[in-house]
């Protein structure tokens, strides 16, 4: 449920522009530049919402604004989508996509996976800059270190497909200290 509405009950088209899903291992798409991918995605969402498509000048202006937000280099955007990108570049590119699409709900699946400490900081800063009262961000992680940079409003622990414990950031510290066996003993 998100905003009193089941995400699963929404049609695929209804979900356009409302939800964003990042992947633990982003897919490479040879032959499709990141810029062309983003221009198509942004304009398809705008069309669905009944808005005019962005012309080239407006799109480039928006793109440069969002690039600065997530510290992404212009040369990355002319390359094929995620092709040959490092782990940090792929994750930064996903946060750039999130910034461009401006979803109401973003689900970030293990955004910290495979990132060094500098890349985690850059990606987290991008996520923090995009957080607002108008959207929600769900970060899925196995490690507390991401939460040093993205301070959560809530921490939920998922076990066997359901939330078994909820709390503040301190719950993540407790898990880091005691391990997941702690949760298993609480649930049993």
């Amino acid at each position: 449920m998100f905003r009193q509405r089941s995400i699963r009950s929404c049609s695929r088209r209804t979900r356009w522009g409302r939800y964003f899903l990042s992947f633990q291992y982003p897919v490479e798409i040879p032959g499709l530049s990141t810029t062309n991918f983003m221009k198509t995605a942004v304009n398809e969402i705008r069309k669905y919402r009944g808005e005019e498509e962005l012309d080239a000048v407006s799109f480039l202006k928006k793109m440069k604004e969002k690039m600065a937000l997530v510290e992404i280099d212009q040369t990355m955007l002319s390359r094929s989508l995620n092709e040959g990108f490092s782990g940090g570049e792929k994750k930064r590119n996903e946060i750039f996509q999130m910034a461009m699409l401006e979803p109401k709900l973003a689900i970030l699946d293990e955004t910290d996976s495979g990132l060094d400490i500098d890349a985690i900081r850059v990606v987290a800063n991008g996520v923090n800059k995009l957080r607002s009262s108008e959207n929600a961000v769900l970060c899925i992680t196995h490690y507390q270190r991401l939460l040093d940079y993205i301070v959560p409003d809530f921490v939920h622990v998922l076990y066997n497909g359901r939330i078994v414990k909820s709390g503040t950031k301190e719950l993540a510290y407790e898990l880091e200290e005691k391990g997941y066996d702690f949760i298993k003993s609480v649930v049993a």
Side-chain angles (χ1 to χ4, degrees):
M1 295 291 286
F2 179 67
R3 295 190 174 167
Q4 287 74 48
R5 189 175 197 176
S6 170
I7 294 172
R8 291 191 293 183
S9 69
C10 294
S11 71
R12 190 176 294 180
R13 291 189 67 81
T14 302
R15 290 182 221 144
W16 281 20
R18 291 188 182 150
Y19 311 119
F20 177 83
L21 174 65
S22 77
F23 297 98
Q24 182 177 0
Y25 302 109
V27 178
E28 295 183 8
I29 305 178
L32 176 62
S33 75
T34 301
T35 301
N36 285 339
F37 172 75
M38 286 314 311
K39 187 166 191 230
T40 300
V42 166
N43 281 330
E44 284 299 314
I45 289 169
R46 291 180 67 82
K47 275 197 302 191
Y48 175 75
R49 292 178 180 159
E51 301 169 356
E52 286 189 34
E53 291 185 28
L54 292 178
D55 59 40
V57 173
S58 299
F59 176 77
L60 289 173
K61 181 180 176 187
K62 178 176 179 157
M63 192 171 79
K64 286 183 181 185
E65 171 192 318
K66 302 302 182 180
M67 285 168 50
L69 194 71
V70 295
E71 302 175 36
I72 200 167
D73 186 72
Q74 174 73 40
T75 58
M76 256 176 70
L77 302 180
S78 60
R79 293 165 53 191
S80 291
L81 187 63
N82 293 325
E83 188 176 34
F85 285 20
S86 69
E89 288 174 325
K90 286 180 180 179
K91 298 297 181 162
R92 197 175 309 172
N93 192 28
E94 282 195 318
I95 303 306
F96 168 69
Q97 292 168 28
M98 180 177 127
M100 290 291 292
L101 299 174
E102 301 172 339
K104 297 296 179 195
L105 172 64
I107 301 171
L108 309 178
D109 186 14
E110 296 193 43
T111 298
D112 54 343
S113 179
L115 299 185
D116 64 30
I117 197 67
D118 293 326
I120 287 175
R121 206 171 294 130
V122 169
V123 167
N125 284 339
V127 171
N128 285 330
K129 289 174 185 174
L130 296 170
R131 289 173 68 182
S132 77
S133 61
E134 299 298 314
N135 65 22
V137 178
L138 173 66
C139 290
I140 300 166
T141 184
H142 292 276
Y143 304 103
Q144 177 278 323
R145 68 180 179 169
L146 179 65
L147 306 182
D148 288 337
Y149 302 101
I150 300 174
V151 178
D153 297 317
F154 304 99
V155 171
H156 302 288
V157 180
L158 202 63
Y159 180 69
N160 286 339
R162 60 189 180 90
I163 295 174
V164 295
K165 192 158 179 69
S166 296
T168 63
K169 182 180 178 179
E170 281 64 38
L171 176 57
Y173 288 123
E174 189 174 10
L175 276 170
E176 188 80 12
E177 181 184 319
K178 297 178 179 178
Y180 285 98
D181 286 339
F182 153 71
I183 292 296
K184 293 175 189 174
S185 68
V186 171
V187 172

